[in-house]
Amino acid sequence: MNREAGGPAPVAVDTMGGDHAPGVVVAGAVAAVREHGVRLVLVGQAPRIRRELDRHGVVGEIPIVHADEALDMGEGALASWRKPRSSVAIACHLIKQGQASALVSAGSTAGIVATSRLRLKGQQGVLRPAIAVELPTLPRPTVLLDAGATADVKPETLLQFAALGTAYARIRLGLARPRVGLLTIGAEPGKGDKVTRRAHELLASGHHEIEFAGNVEGHDLLTGAVDVIVTDGFTGNVALKTMEGTVRMAFAELRSAMTASRTARVGALLQRRRLTELRDRLDSDTYGGGVLLGLNGTVVIAHGSARARAITSACVLAHALAAGRIVDRIREQVALTRTSRFGRRPHPEPEPEPEPLPEEPPEPDPS
Amino acid sequence: MNREAGGPAPVAVDTMGGDHAPGVVVAGAVAAVREHGVRLVLVGQAPRIRRELDRHGVVGEIPIVHADEALDMGEGALASWRKPRSSVAIACHLIKQGQASALVSAGSTAGIVATSRLRLKGQQGVLRPAIAVELPTLPRPTVLLDAGATADVKPETLLQFAALGTAYARIRLGLARPRVGLLTIGAEPGKGDKVTRRAHELLASGHHEIEFAGNVEGHDLLTGAVDVIVTDGFTGNVALKTMEGTVRMAFAELRSAMTASRTARVGALLQRRRLTELRDRLDSDTYGGGVLLGLNGTVVIAHGSARARAITSACVLAHALAAGRIVDRIREQVALTRTSRFGRRPHPEPEPEPEPLPEEPPEPDPS
């Protein structure tokens, strides 16, 4: 684990998380190493990982750290307490030790969020974590946060989410001053619920180095009107899943429209390639995963049903964020929001102490 | 206005609301009378309405009530105070007098909601009004509420929305026990924000004659998993607009995919009809409007950009709800929620008294 060799420490991949673990996860990880040169460390049951690596003929090329346990897909927040040696917990430990720069997992979102909050802890000054996702707009993605980490927010939390999203968009979209929109139910400042109206005031105060572009509505999610869209984790999750469900339904209807008659079938053949490209762009499975921001380490959450390609994207994303030093950028950006004359100093809730890990920190197994 | 002739009093149509008023509104109203036999009364500037009726050769066949003023499309809540003689205010007055059974308007949603809350007042026992919309699921629509009337809710408000939606679905979908889902961010009871988690408890208590089917998520909006989906007006509005925006984007992309190459264009021709049908079904402009529930009168809000067909649908919808005595059904259904051991008695906020209307109530002008 040579951090001085240039670039961040390797990305820890939880090989035990997801519907198709470990086979598909390892396949995606191998592609990330081969095709994108991402440095990885694979966490999970070492014999099974080794067997998968053997299939790809790369045993010994990617380091393995053994973990006895894995979070189940149905497992929620309690898993973080019940399973102190889960692959996600071990990966978090590697990050704390500086032996990994980020974590990629396709496990249960609730389990990953709970475990990484417990193990990595919230960044100093950050009220609540948020999950950022990249919506498939053109010419570049739009960052939506929070996609589901924090359901109940205060106005100050939304102001901080704007800071988190700004830091993220700088690194991923290469924009110096990404434009931030506040998701609400009307274009005018007075529209929305109480929390959003107050958040609008905070964002509009202009004392925080955030390029606030005003309110955006649900139909702006896919128009690329702004670079970052800020909302609470409840609304953001509903909006994201509504978008995914609508795309899925539209394509199912389209398929049925196309195969309903002989002439339509002929037409369908002619267009199949273009439509497949289109569906793939809109399919959540292909555009990487969500990124949990605001902790002392970067956590990329891939869909549980993720295919190898989505795991590869998630590894590339995790590497890019670690290389861009996202945690440092967030700390700087959030500190600026505190100089606001409106902003209150954050009071993070005390985090419970996790069960200590085994005395001996797990050593990378060069297999 | 012969209420004894069987069926409800006529539906009052605000001919001054909407981007294409009064021409398109009157055209849609005429079609509702001719094709669906709906009894109407047209409210607005009598000379202009008469001119439009003349175009359709039906002067004298549909009664007119004159209104001097109209709400502007950009006008919000204050319009209800500034314009006591707006066409919407006059239409509400007709409802209060029993001269109309419901109101249809394509004006500004904020203006219509504010004016009709002020003039019609909330139904006894109803905490807050909600806008119900019918999502284009198959084989029958799914009712979503609230689509934007009440952004900040209490758990008890969501329980009442379930009662409002149940009453609506009984009339519109003809279901004895429509299944109600609570929109949130996870299938398990403990998922969601604080308000939604508590609302889940209230709904699951089973003391209210509501067929509660549990939590639903954003991707369930278009699957027809339940008959009624309950949420607050903030989340509902964002979800609805996200759905509309996604459909619009998917079809724009599709059009571009279809015209990108010569072979694709040939294919597109073959399928144009089926795709047009599909887009029309998903287009908010064709599936009527939203219905403001919980006031002493039924208010159907058509899209501001509504075409004649959408106005016709809105008139038919308003007539069906009035004929089904939606206000009475809501009163009965809401009363049942109060017997819940969890439910608290509602304390509706005191409604301000509106400026009195002219001494002489406007008389229908038989033109």
Side-chain angles (χ1 to χ4, degrees), chain B residues 7-23:
Chain B
V11 171
V13 177
D14 164 26
T15 59
M16 310 308 287
D19 301 334
H20 313 298

Side-chain angles (χ1 to χ4, degrees), chain B residues 162-239:
Chain B
L164 268 54
T166 295
Y168 182 98
R170 283 207 180 119
I171 296 171
R172 278 287 284 182
L173 310 182
L175 300 168
R177 292 188 69 80
R179 287 161 309 134
V180 176
L182 178 67
L183 184 61
T184 182
I185 60 172
E188 303 83 24
K191 289 298 180 75
D193 58 4
K194 279 178 199 153
V195 169
T196 310
R197 290 200 304 269
R198 174 72 183 137
H200 185 106
E201 290 175 11
L202 294 177
L203 284 161
S205 74
H207 293 263
H208 40 54
E209 295 293 312
I210 289 163
E211 188 75 18
F212 182 50
N215 290 345
V216 297
E217 298 188 68
H219 48 233
D220 297 316
L221 255 61
L222 291 172
T223 57
V226 293
D227 304 305
V228 176
I229 296 176
V230 168
T231 187
D232 65 89
F234 187 86
T235 310
N237 188 277
V238 167

